[in-house]
Amino acid sequence: MINVAILGYGVVGSGVYKVINDNNSHVSRRAGDDVRVKYVLDLREFPGDPAEDVLVHDFDVILNDDEVDIIVETMGGVEPAHTFEVKALKAGKSVCTSNKEVVAKWGFELLQLARENNCNFFFEASVGGGIPVIRPLINCITADHVKSISGILNGTTNYILTKMAEEGLAFEDVLKDAQKKGYAEKNPEADIEGYDACRKIAILASLAYERQVDYEDIYTEGITKITGIDFWYANQLDASIKLLGLAKRQNGVVYAMVAPFIVKQDNPLYGVCDVFNAILLDGDMLGDVMFYGKGAGSLPTASAVVSDVIEAAKNKGRNIPILWRPEKRQLGSVDVFETSYLVRVSGLKAVDRLKETFGNPSDELRYERNKEEILTNEVKKVFGNVKFLMGQDGEEVAFVTKPMSGAEFEKAAEDFVVENRIRIADL
Amino acid sequence: MINVAILGYGVVGSGVYKVINDNNSHVSRRAGDDVRVKYVLDLREFPGDPAEDVLVHDFDVILNDDEVDIIVETMGGVEPAHTFEVKALKAGKSVCTSNKEVVAKWGFELLQLARENNCNFFFEASVGGGIPVIRPLINCITADHVKSISGILNGTTNYILTKMAEEGLAFEDVLKDAQKKGYAEKNPEADIEGYDACRKIAILASLAYERQVDYEDIYTEGITKITGIDFWYANQLDASIKLLGLAKRQNGVVYAMVAPFIVKQDNPLYGVCDVFNAILLDGDMLGDVMFYGKGAGSLPTASAVVSDVIEAAKNKGRNIPILWRPEKRQLGSVDVFETSYLVRVSGLKAVDRLKETFGNPSDELRYERNKEEILTNEVKKVFGNVKFLMGQDGEEVAFVTKPMSGAEFEKAAEDFVVENRIRIADL
C-alpha cells in the first residue's frame, strides 16, 4: 500500500484526489502497489465532498504518520508550501508538486534533500500543466546538447493573443472577456506581465543547462503593449505573435528571457492557439521536437502530478538522480543577445525636439508632407539593409531588421519615436 | 566504464557512433559513468572511417566479452537481429534498438528476457525516430486511460501527401520526386502501403493497452489511391489528408488501423507537414497531448537510441519494468469501427448493370442528362442525412456521411460506383 497525502484541496489538489480515485486500479497497477489518498490537508471544510473523510487541518498529523509515503503539494505560493516540502523530504517522504514558485526558487535544494533522504522530489506539473516535459527533458533528451528551448508556457496570454489575432480585438477587451470566462484572474499581472512564464522557463533552463537559473535574472516583458496593428504587420510576415519563454545558448553563453515574439508559420509553435501550451526544444543531434497539450486545468495538471506519484511509488526508497546543480548560471544580458526585430516608428525624435525648442513652421510642414519618405531614408541610414512592410497609413513606418544585439538595437532606435518593437523567433 | 557494442553500421548505427563520440562528456555525465563504443559489428569494411579500429565481423566476439554492458541493434530486418538480441539479453547485456520489426513482433518476449536477466530492453527509436514517445508513454502518461493514439508515423508518406496538398501534384509524380531526393526508397511499398506505420502503431497500442497487439491483425490501407481530387474536397472541409496509425478504444473495444484520414484544421496533426512525424494521444484525464519531431534520419534516430543507452547505463543490473503483457489483444473489426467518411460516387451500379443487360438507350440518356440529381437523390435515400460538397464537374457527387460502422458503410455503398472513400478523424 502506498499512502498519499494531498496538501491543498484547490483546483489541482481536488483533481489529484479525483484521478487517484477514479483511475485507482489503473494507477495502482502502474505504480506496482495499491495507491490511496490517506489525507487531504486544507484549512477549509468540505461538507459532503468525497474527501471529507480524509480531511485534516494540521500538517503534523501527516508528517508524523509513518505510513505516508508520498506528499502531493498543490497549495501554491511560497510559504508554507516550501517549509512543508522540506519537512516531508527530511522525513524521507517523496514530494510531488505543481508549485512552480517553489520549484523555480528551491528546486535544487529540494532535489538535494531528496537525494540525502533516499526519496524523490518530482515536479512534472510545474511546467506545461499536463504536458510531459520535465521527465522527457530528464530521461529522454539526454544525448543532446540543448541549443534552445522556446515555449508557450502560459495559457491565459496565449488565449488573449489568439483572440487578438483572430478577431482583431484590442488587448483590454480580450482581457476583460478572458476574465469573464475564468481564463484570466481578477489580478492578471502574473500572467500578462510574463511572471508565470518566467518561473517556468527558469525551471526548464535549470534542467536543460544543469545549473540553477534564478528567475530574478530573467529579462521579462509582458504582452500589454501588443496592439492590433502589430498583428497586422505580423500577418504580412506570415506570422503570429506569441509570448515565449526562451532559453538559448548563443556563442557559448546561455540567455533566458520572456517576451512577445513574432513566430512564423513554419515554426511548429505557430499553430499553438487558445489556452494550449507547447514547448519546442532544439537538440544538437535531434533537431526540433515539440511537446503540446493543455498547460492548465484541474484534471490535466492532476494527471501530471499523479504520474509523479506513480514514479515515486515505483521508486520507493530509491532516489532518482536529477541533474540540477546549485551553482548559479550566469545568464547573458539581453543587451548582447542577438535577434531580428519588427519595428514600428512614427517619427524622428530630432523633429520633435526641433518643434519643442525652435518650432520652425516651414520645416515642420515639409516634414509632415514627406514624413514617410524622410522616416524611410532615416531608417535605411541608421539600420542599414531592412525589409519594409506595407503601412496602414502614412503615420508610421514598419520594418524588419537584420539580426542585431539588444544594445545595437537600442542605440539605433534612439533617434526614432518607436511605437513598438517585437523580437522575431529565428526558426 | 560502460562498454557499448553497435550491431550494424548503417544510417542509424553510424549515427549512434557519432552521437556517443561527439557528445561523449555530456553522454557520460548523464549516464553517470564513462560511455565508450568498444565494438561495431558489420560484415562490410570501412577503411578510413573512425569506427575502423573497433570494427568486428563476428557477433560472438561481442557476446563473449564480459566487458560489454549494452548492445545497440541497428541492423534492421528480423534475422539475425532478433537472434542477436535474444542472445545478448540472455547474457545479461541490455539491448537498445531502433528495429521496429523486431520490437513489434518480439517486444513482449524480449522484455521478459530482460526482466529474467536483470537487464533492459529499450526501443525509443523504433517509433517516431528522434521523438520521445515510448518512454513518455511508459513513464509519463501513466495516470490516464488512453482513449486514443493517432500518429503520423511515416515521414515518406507525409512528405508525399504534403506535396500533393501544396502543389496539386499527382501521387506518382511526387513519389518519383521523393525517390530522387532519397525520401522514398526504390521499393517504396513498406512506406506507401502503410506497412511501416502498421508496425509502429502495433508497438504504441501494445504499450498503451498493455497487451500484445499483433501487427498482422491491424487493418492497413496505404495512400496509393489518394488523388488531387480528394485534396480538393478535403480543402472544402478545411482539412488535409494524412496517413494515420490509429489505436482507439471505442465502446470498450480496442481498434487499431492504418489508413488515410481527413484531418481537420483544429486537429494538432493538421500542421504536421513534410517528413515530420507526430503522435497525438488522448488521455481520459489529460486530454490531448502531442509529441512532434523528426521521425527519421541518422542523428535524430541515433539521439533516441543513445538516450536509451544512457538509461540502460544508469540502470545497470536493475530491470525497469515495462507493462506489455504477452496475452494477445483481440482487436475490434473495422466492420464494427465507427467513423464518418468522405465519399465520392460517380454512378449507380444499377444503371451500369442495366446498360450491360438490357441497354435501354432512352433510360440511359435520361440518366446521363440528370446524373447529378439522380445520384444525389439516391445518396440521400441510402445514406440519410449527409453533407454534400461542391463538385468539380457533373461527373461525380461527393459527401460526408454521419458516423457509421464499416459494415454499414460497405452495405450503403454497394449500390454506387465509389471513386474513393476516406475516413474522417474525429477530433
Side-chain angles (χ1 to χ4, degrees):
Chain A
M1 174 76 78
I2 301 286
N3 287 294
V4 177
I6 300 171
L7 314 186
Y9 198 62
V11 173
V12 181
S14 61
V16 171
Y17 185 84
K18 186 177 162 60
V19 172
I20 291 180
N21 284 288
D22 287 10
N23 282 1
N24 193 264
S25 68
H26 184 82
V27 167
S28 296
R29 190 173 64 255
R30 292 291 175 120
D33 199 347
D34 283 344
V35 177
R36 70 153 175 175
V37 179
K38 188 168 182 183
Y39 299 110
V40 166
L41 177 78
D42 205 293
L43 293 179
R44 297 165 291 182
E45 301 290 344
F46 296 93
D49 190 282
E52 195 183 8
D53 294 344
V54 295
L55 191 70
V56 293
H57 303 297
D58 179 4
F59 177 62
D60 285 339
V61 174
I62 294 166
L63 191 67
N64 295 328
D65 186 339
D66 287 343
E67 276 186 11
V68 172
D69 305 291
I70 298 167
I71 288 186
V72 167
E73 190 274 287
T74 46
M75 309 166 70
V78 175
E79 288 300 345
H82 169 240
T83 303
F84 287 177
E85 294 189 15
V86 168
K87 285 185 180 173
L89 292 168
K90 283 189 174 165
K93 299 178 195 303
S94 287
V95 171
C96 307
T97 186
S98 58
N99 189 328
K100 60 191 169 293
E101 281 98 347
V102 169
V103 178
K105 195 157 182 69
W106 304 103
F108 67 90
E109 185 209 70
L110 295 161
L111 283 169
Q112 198 173 326
L113 276 178
R115 215 162 25 243
E116 288 166 9
N117 293 282
N118 283 320
C119 55
N120 287 292
F121 176 62
F122 291 145
F123 44 92
E124 180 60 70
S126 65
V127 180
I131 309 169
V133 59
I134 300 287
R135 193 158 292 117
L137 201 53
I138 295 168
N139 287 344
C140 302
I141 304 167
T142 46
D144 284 58
H145 292 110
V146 175
K147 290 161 74 177
S148 69
I149 301 180
S150 43
I152 295 173
L153 300 170
N154 179 275
T156 303
T157 46
N158 204 44
Y159 174 83
I160 291 172
L161 293 172
T162 302
K163 287 292 155 207
M164 288 178 73
E166 283 175 358
E167 294 168 25
L169 297 171
F171 170 75
E172 293 76 15
D173 297 334
V174 185
L175 175 60
K176 270 180 211 150
D177 170 62
Q179 285 172 316
K180 257 189 221 155
K181 286 186 175 149
Y183 290 164
E185 294 184 45
K186 269 191 189 168
N187 179 355
E189 205 188 9
D191 293 321
I192 64 176
E193 296 295 354
Y195 305 150
D196 173 80
C198 172
R199 267 76 177 165
K200 292 171 178 170
I201 194 67
I203 296 169
L204 295 177
S206 296
L207 289 170
Y209 298 112
E210 297 179 17
R211 285 185 184 196
Q212 170 66 10
V213 171
D214 284 346
Y215 66 81
E216 294 93 339
D217 295 347
I218 296 177
Y219 173 82
T220 301
E221 197 182 304
I223 62 164
T224 56
K225 283 186 197 156
I226 305 294
T227 67
I229 299 169
D230 294 317
F231 278 102
W232 195 79
Y233 288 114
N235 208 29
Q236 283 183 56
L237 297 168
D238 284 330
S240 194
I241 302 170
K242 306 281 186 189
L243 182 71
L244 298 188
L246 176 70
K248 183 169 183 162
R249 195 185 285 271
Q250 197 176 68
N251 306 321
V253 177
V254 173
Y255 297 84
M257 66 181 69
V258 173
F261 275 81
I262 300 284
V263 174
K264 295 191 184 157
Q265 227 168 51
D266 56 0
N267 185 321
L269 293 173
Y270 174 85
V272 178
C273 292
D274 294 318
V275 295
F276 281 91
N277 283 20
I279 295 97
L280 179 69
L281 187 146
D282 182 10
D284 65 342
M285 298 294 171
L286 190 54
D288 288 324
V289 289
M290 186 176 79
F291 304 91
Y292 166 99
K294 287 187 181 141
S298 175
L299 293 179
T301 309
S303 163
V305 175
V306 177
S307 78
D308 278 351
V309 168
I310 291 169
E311 212 52 22
K314 276 161 71 179
N315 292 286
K316 194 175 162 176
R318 173 176 182 271
N319 175 258
I320 305 284
I322 294 174
L323 284 177
W324 177 346
R325 283 182 286 167
E327 293 89 12
K328 184 169 158 162
R329 165 76 60 192
Q330 210 59 50
L331 295 175
S333 157
V334 279
D335 290 345
V336 185
F337 184 74
E338 283 191 4
T339 183
S340 299
Y341 293 84
L342 165 65
V343 193
R344 292 163 43 207
V345 296
S346 63
L348 289 172
K349 281 197 184 150
V351 174
D352 281 2
R353 280 197 294 269
L354 202 72
K355 280 195 233 174
E356 279 165 24
T357 48
F358 299 97
N360 183 331
S362 73
D363 267 8
E364 198 183 326
L365 199 64
R366 198 175 58 84
Y367 175 73
E368 289 301 335
R369 274 195 192 138
N370 303 292
K371 191 174 168 184
E372 208 170 339
E373 192 190 330
I374 293 171
L375 260 179
T376 302
N377 282 334
E378 207 58 28
V379 165
K380 282 183 196 166
K381 220 188 289 170
V382 177
F383 282 91
N385 194 14
V386 303
K387 176 194 162 107
F388 286 99
L389 300 178
M390 200 176 58
Q392 271 193 315
D393 49 41
E395 286 307 302
E396 63 175 32
V397 168
F399 56 95
V400 174
T401 74
K402 62 182 189 309
M404 56 203 304
S405 75
E408 277 173 330
F409 174 81
E410 293 303 335
K411 193 169 162 22
E414 255 174 14
D415 297 339
F416 299 90
V417 180
V418 176
E419 292 298 319
N420 207 355
R421 54 104 189 87
I422 307 176
R423 292 174 180 82
I424 297 181
D426 69 350
L427 185 85
Chain B
M1 174 76 78
I2 301 287
N3 287 293
V4 177
I6 300 170
L7 315 186
Y9 198 63
V11 173
V12 181
S14 61
V16 171
Y17 185 83
K18 186 177 162 59
V19 172
I20 291 180
N21 284 287
D22 287 9
N23 282 359
N24 194 263
S25 69
H26 184 82
V27 167
S28 296
R29 191 173 61 255
R30 292 291 176 118
D33 201 347
D34 283 345
V35 176
R36 69 153 175 174
V37 178
K38 189 167 183 184
Y39 300 108
V40 167
L41 177 78
D42 205 294
L43 293 178
R44 298 165 292 181
E45 300 290 345
F46 297 93
D49 190 283
E52 196 183 8
D53 294 343
V54 294
L55 191 69
V56 294
H57 303 297
D58 179 4
F59 177 63
D60 286 339
V61 174
I62 294 166
L63 191 66
N64 296 328
D65 185 339
D66 287 343
E67 278 186 8
V68 173
D69 305 292
I70 298 167
I71 288 185
V72 167
E73 190 275 287
T74 47
M75 308 166 71
V78 175
E79 287 300 346
H82 170 239
T83 303
F84 287 177
E85 295 189 15
V86 168
K87 285 185 180 173
L89 292 169
K90 282 187 175 165
K93 299 176 195 303
S94 287
V95 171
C96 307
T97 186
S98 58
N99 189 328
K100 60 192 168 294
E101 281 98 348
V102 168
V103 177
K105 194 156 182 70
W106 304 103
F108 68 89
E109 184 209 70
L110 296 160
L111 283 169
Q112 197 174 328
L113 277 177
R115 216 162 23 244
E116 288 166 10
N117 294 282
N118 283 320
C119 54
N120 286 292
F121 177 63
F122 291 146
F123 44 92
E124 181 60 71
S126 65
V127 180
I131 309 169
V133 58
I134 301 288
R135 193 158 294 119
L137 202 52
I138 295 168
N139 287 345
C140 301
I141 304 166
T142 45
D144 286 57
H145 292 108
V146 174
K147 289 160 75 178
S148 70
I149 300 180
S150 44
I152 295 174
L153 300 171
N154 179 274
T156 304
T157 45
N158 204 43
Y159 174 84
I160 292 172
L161 292 172
T162 301
K163 288 290 156 209
M164 288 177 73
E166 283 174 358
E167 295 168 24
L169 297 170
F171 171 75
E172 293 77 16
D173 297 333
V174 185
L175 174 60
K176 270 179 211 151
D177 169 63
Q179 284 172 317
K180 257 189 220 157
K181 287 187 175 149
Y183 291 164
E185 295 183 45
K186 268 189 191 171
N187 179 355
E189 204 189 8
D191 293 322
I192 64 177
E193 296 295 354
Y195 305 150
D196 172 79
C198 172
R199 266 77 176 165
K200 292 171 178 170
I201 195 67
I203 296 169
L204 294 178
S206 296
L207 288 170
Y209 298 113
E210 297 178 18
R211 286 184 182 196
Q212 170 66 10
V213 171
D214 285 346
Y215 66 81
E216 294 93 340
D217 294 348
I218 296 177
Y219 173 82
T220 300
E221 198 182 303
I223 62 165
T224 55
K225 283 185 197 157
I226 304 294
T227 67
I229 299 169
D230 294 317
F231 278 103
W232 195 79
Y233 288 114
N235 207 28
Q236 284 183 56
L237 297 169
D238 284 329
S240 193
I241 303 170
K242 306 281 185 188
L243 182 70
L244 298 187
L246 177 70
K248 183 170 184 163
R249 194 186 285 272
Q250 197 177 68
N251 306 321
V253 177
V254 172
Y255 296 84
M257 67 181 70
V258 174
F261 275 83
I262 300 284
V263 174
K264 295 193 183 154
Q265 227 168 51
D266 56 0
N267 187 320
L269 293 173
Y270 174 85
V272 179
C273 292
D274 295 318
V275 295
F276 281 90
N277 283 19
I279 296 97
L280 179 70
L281 187 146
D282 183 9
D284 65 344
M285 298 294 171
L286 192 53
D288 288 324
V289 289
M290 185 175 80
F291 305 91
Y292 167 98
K294 287 187 182 140
S298 175
L299 293 180
T301 310
S303 162
V305 175
V306 177
S307 78
D308 278 350
V309 169
I310 291 169
E311 213 50 25
K314 277 162 69 179
N315 292 286
K316 194 175 161 176
R318 174 175 181 270
N319 175 258
I320 305 283
I322 295 174
L323 284 176
W324 177 346
R325 282 181 286 169
E327 294 89 11
K328 183 169 158 162
R329 165 77 58 191
Q330 210 61 48
L331 295 175
S333 157
V334 278
D335 289 346
V336 184
F337 183 75
E338 283 192 4
T339 183
S340 298
Y341 293 85
L342 164 65
V343 193
R344 291 162 44 206
V345 297
S346 63
L348 289 172
K349 282 197 184 149
V351 174
D352 281 1
R353 280 197 294 271
L354 201 72
K355 280 195 233 175
E356 279 165 27
T357 48
F358 300 98
N360 183 333
S362 73
D363 269 7
E364 199 183 326
L365 199 65
R366 199 173 57 84
Y367 174 72
E368 289 302 336
R369 276 195 190 137
N370 303 293
K371 191 174 166 184
E372 207 171 338
E373 192 190 330
I374 293 171
L375 259 179
T376 302
N377 283 333
E378 207 58 27
V379 165
K380 282 183 197 166
K381 219 188 288 171
V382 177
F383 282 92
N385 193 15
V386 302
K387 175 194 162 105
F388 287 98
L389 300 177
M390 201 175 57
Q392 273 192 314
D393 49 40
E395 285 307 301
E396 63 175 33
V397 167
F399 56 95
V400 174
T401 74
K402 62 183 191 306
M404 55 204 302
S405 74
E408 277 172 330
F409 174 80
E410 293 303 334
K411 192 167 162 23
E414 253 174 15
D415 296 339
F416 298 91
V417 180
V418 176
E419 291 299 319
N420 206 356
R421 55 104 188 89
I422 307 177
R423 291 174 180 82
I424 297 181
D426 69 350
L427 185 86

